[in-house]
Amino acid sequence: MTFRGPYADGPTAADLEIVSPRLEKLAWKDPVRLVVVFFALVGYTTRRLARWAARRGEKDWRDAAAHGVVDAFETLGPTYVKLGQVVASSPGLFPQPLADAALRCLDEVPPISGAQVRRIIAEDLGARPEDLFTVFEDAPLSAASIGQVHACRLPDGRDAVVKVQRPGIAALMATDLRVAYFISLRLERISKVMRAAKPSAMIEDLHGVTFQELNSALEAKRQHDFLQRLHAFGDNEGVTAPEVYWDYCGPRVICMQRMYGTPLDAIDADRLTEIDGPDLLRRGVKAWVEAALVHGVFHGDVHAGNLWMLDDGRICYLDFGIMGELHGPWQELMRDMFYTGMFDADFGRMVPHYRSLGIIPEGTGTDAEIAMRLQLVFGPLLKSGMAGISIGRTITMLLDMAKQYDAESPRELVLISKQLLYFERYSKNLAPDWVLFSDKSIARNVFPDAVAEAERVAD
């Protein structure tokens, strides 16, 4: 008889609900953790500075202090490791010594034991792994701050993996985020550097995405939906994502198809000479662009570990814990940004969107004045032709312009610009001469008439 777990018929609306504890107010037990965090930060930083003083001249004291902070992050556990990952991924926002030291946080974290993993699976699915799978490996394939992945084999012979959440991680991260927020607000009051970096805003963003990632049912549903939409236009055969095996999924467990391949940043030089790098990247970007501009739900964390080239040559999206949603006027704005960049460079088209969405405050200049300012910002870029323009940086510059009017940058557009910058970074290795804006084929299903006309003119 086929096993049927709690999500065999798919998760319910209640299962998919995101429950985010309050960030602004400490809970009664948080002061204990606050003391632990404080002494960890002070203790590890002091120890590194003492070592620096004993060997003065080897490194700058700022480097020593930064490594002390990261030592504390690693000791304090998953939440602070994740905080370090954000710092490492945003070097322009933090002092360089801290951003460099935080690169250590991008390494895998120590895994939980196989016994703990087996217990979580049994609690969630109601049966022991040895009764569910013909093979289950205690040693994880990978371990991250929130969960880890184990190889297994289903009774019908399919190779699979099980992604299991760390025990007690939700409560720990809720406490740690409140404590980190409390500390960051006070640091911003006393430090000009911290006021400029504004770590409290970073923690607010981290709080927003963390409790999405902690909902395994939501992650599995998004992964399933992404795979279903991937072939909405009858193409994208060269792109995929793992199939979710719902019978073996639970509140803290996702079971899915096992994929065999290589992360994009781990493809060696010899292999690069054997593959069509531009085609590989083009396929991945095209699928992502359609997800954002047509379907409205897009992968929000396309670092190289989440994008693989499979052994059969397809490109594969992994890890759907962080997703962005783009609907209504925000999607219209992004579609116009892409159209402007790809086809006519008319940045004045952005002005009505900026006004209607409140990105430019009401009463600020005329449409013509704002359009002229946009032209001044982007004119130098346009002189080199569209092939010289970075679409990720273009969106970032538009968002920076909004900040000049004291307008908040919408999280979804910030998330989009970050993903596009990831893609452009991959192009340096996979396709040095490929520029996203100049490749109209990636918008074939978004702007079919415009792409067809551009191809007709080119012929």
Side-chain angles (χ1 to χ4, degrees):
M1 184 175 178
T2 303
F3 175 80
R4 289 176 61 80
Y7 294 156
D9 297 319
T12 66
D15 295 325
L16 299 173
E17 186 178 350
I18 301 171
V19 180
S20 299
R22 287 186 59 189
L23 182 63
E24 298 81 11
K25 188 176 181 181
L26 292 176
W28 66 270
K29 61 181 179 180
D30 291 351
V32 175
R33 182 64 171 169
L34 177 59
V35 171
V36 171
V37 171
F38 175 79
F39 279 105
L41 288 169
V42 172
Y44 280 99
T45 303
T46 301
R47 187 169 72 173
R48 283 281 189 167
L49 287 172
R51 288 180 185 172
W52 169 82
R55 312 176 208 165
R56 186 169 298 182
E58 287 190 10
K59 284 187 178 181
D60 190 282
W61 70 268
R62 296 176 190 83
D63 293 322
H67 279 284
V69 170
V70 176
D71 289 343
F73 283 180
E74 292 179 335
T75 300
L76 290 167
T79 312
Y80 287 89
V81 169
K82 203 164 187 65
L83 200 57
Q85 291 170 354
V86 174
V87 173
S89 302
S90 312
L93 299 179
F94 297 92
Q96 195 60 45
L98 183 59
D100 290 342
L103 289 170
R104 283 191 279 144
C105 295
L106 298 176
D107 298 332
E108 289 198 358
V109 300
I112 59 174
S113 69
Q116 288 176 294
V117 169
R118 287 173 176 270
R119 177 178 57 78
I120 293 168
I121 292 173
E123 289 175 355
D124 267 29
L125 303 185
R128 299 176 304 169
E130 55 264 39
D131 298 326
L132 295 172
F133 310 112
T134 57
V135 174
F136 181 82
E137 297 181 6
D138 282 327
L141 295 172
S142 64
S145 54
I146 287 179
Q148 58 192 51
V149 177
H150 292 256
C152 63
R153 182 168 296 138
L154 303 186
D156 62 9
R158 287 177 293 176
D159 285 347
V161 295
V162 178
K163 184 175 181 180
V164 181
Q165 225 176 79
R166 291 174 177 269
I169 189 68
L172 175 63
M173 294 195 85
T175 294
D176 279 345
L177 287 167
R178 285 193 297 265
V179 168
Y181 191 65
F182 179 88
I183 292 173
S184 67
L185 288 175
R186 277 139 191 86
L187 287 175
E188 287 171 18
R189 289 178 188 171
I190 62 174
S191 168
K192 185 177 180 180
V193 172
M194 287 297 160
R195 278 197 297 275
K198 204 172 183 184
S200 62
M202 177 187 68
I203 293 166
E204 288 171 0
D205 288 342
L206 186 58
H207 179 263
V209 301
T210 292
F211 291 94
Q212 290 185 47
E213 288 188 84
L214 288 168
N215 187 323
S216 292
L218 180 62
E219 178 179 345
K221 179 70 164 56
R222 286 169 164 173
Q223 181 171 321
H224 171 82
D225 290 347
F226 179 89
L227 185 57
Q228 295 299 306
R229 296 187 186 114
L230 197 55
H231 306 295
F233 296 99
D235 53 6
N236 292 333
E237 296 88 354
V239 188
T240 192
E243 179 185 352
V244 176
Y245 299 142
W246 287 109
D247 286 344
Y248 300 92
C249 291
R252 294 170 294 172
V253 176
I254 305 174
C255 185
M256 68 190 85
Q257 176 185 7
R258 184 173 183 180
M259 313 304 276
Y260 295 90
T262 308
L264 284 195
D265 64 347
I267 301 173
D268 60 41
D270 290 339
R271 186 79 173 100
L272 281 174
T273 62
E274 301 170 359
I275 65 173
D276 187 340
D279 179 65
L280 179 72
L281 188 58
R282 182 184 298 112
R283 282 185 270 132
V285 173
K286 176 179 176 294
W288 187 92
V289 167
E290 289 170 6
L293 301 189
V294 179
H295 307 306
V297 181
F298 59 92
H299 198 295
D301 194 20
V302 296
H303 65 73
N306 290 340
L307 275 178
W308 283 21
M309 184 186 75
L310 300 184
D311 293 346
D312 63 11
R314 290 179 298 169
I315 190 167
C316 180
Y317 280 84
L318 301 169
D319 194 344
F320 292 78
I322 300 176
M323 298 288 282
E325 294 192 18
L326 202 65
H327 299 292
W330 290 113
Q331 191 179 52
E332 291 172 17
L333 168 61
M334 186 53 58
R335 287 173 66 97
D336 273 356
M337 281 186 178
F338 265 76
Y339 190 94
T340 296
M342 287 187 163
F343 297 102
D344 63 9
D346 179 10
F347 285 95
R349 181 185 284 112
M350 301 296 102
V351 177
H353 290 298
Y354 266 46
R355 289 200 185 280
S356 64
L357 292 168
I359 299 175
I360 294 178
E362 197 173 332
T364 303
T366 65
D367 284 7
E369 289 169 344
I370 302 298
M372 185 179 296
R373 183 158 189 173
L374 285 165
Q375 194 63 36
L376 286 172
V377 170
F378 295 105
L381 289 174
L382 297 176
K383 286 179 183 177
S384 63
M386 296 310 298
I389 298 176
S390 156
I391 190 168
R393 295 196 182 283
T394 298
I395 295 171
T396 301
M397 290 171 73
L398 286 167
L399 293 172
D400 288 343
M401 183 178 171
K403 288 180 184 176
Q404 294 174 16
Y405 296 106
D406 296 322
E408 288 294 322
S409 297
R411 177 185 172 272
E412 302 303 339
L413 297 194
V414 173
L415 192 61
I416 278 178
S417 67
K418 185 175 180 180
Q419 309 319 306
L420 293 171
L421 287 170
Y422 271 129
F423 286 128
E424 288 171 356
R425 198 174 305 157
Y426 302 146
S427 71
K428 292 186 174 117
N429 190 37
L430 292 170
D433 299 324
W434 181 77
V435 179
L436 194 154
F437 251 163
S438 65
D439 190 341
K440 296 175 176 55
S441 70
I442 67 167
R444 185 177 307 282
N445 296 325
V446 184
F447 309 114
D449 294 340
V451 172
E453 176 61 18
E455 291 176 344
R456 186 190 65 79
V457 171
D459 291 341

